[in-house]
Amino acid sequence: MAKKNRSAPAKGLRGSKAGLALSLGSSALAVVRASKQVRRARGSHDKLNTADAVAGMLPLITSAALILRQLRGRRRENPEPA
């Protein structure tokens, strides 16, 4: 039995402007969620838990920055008519 590729429909969205915007939105939500986790950890004065929350936030910020760079690059390649 052949295995279905469940990510096939998403491949069309991956390179599109809408797909990048959707990725940016989900990354932004993840950063907000992680920042709440950092605030809770700082409130409990647990240094190890705070360090874990901050370390978990770094890849999210990096991915959001990479998506923004892709969106800006697309805008420079295809300027919208005024």
Side-chain angles (χ1 to χ4, degrees):
M1 180 184 261
K3 194 174 184 182
K4 284 187 177 181
N5 187 0
R6 294 180 187 252
S7 66
K11 284 187 179 182
L13 265 179
R14 193 173 295 161
S16 71
K17 196 172 189 178
L20 289 174
L22 186 63
S23 295
L24 181 62
S26 63
S27 291
L29 285 175
V31 168
V32 168
R33 210 173 312 129
S35 66
K36 286 181 182 180
Q37 183 182 1
V38 169
R39 271 190 257 130
R40 270 189 302 232
R42 287 186 67 201
S44 68
H45 303 293
D46 185 358
K47 289 182 182 181
L48 188 58
N49 204 4
T50 303
D52 181 46
V54 170
M57 211 164 128
L58 294 176
L60 299 173
I61 294 170
T62 303
S63 68
L66 288 171
I67 294 167
L68 274 174
R69 184 173 70 181
Q70 284 181 344
L71 281 172
R72 286 182 183 155
R74 282 181 168 268
R75 195 178 324 153
R76 287 185 188 135
E77 289 174 1
N78 302 324
E80 294 178 12

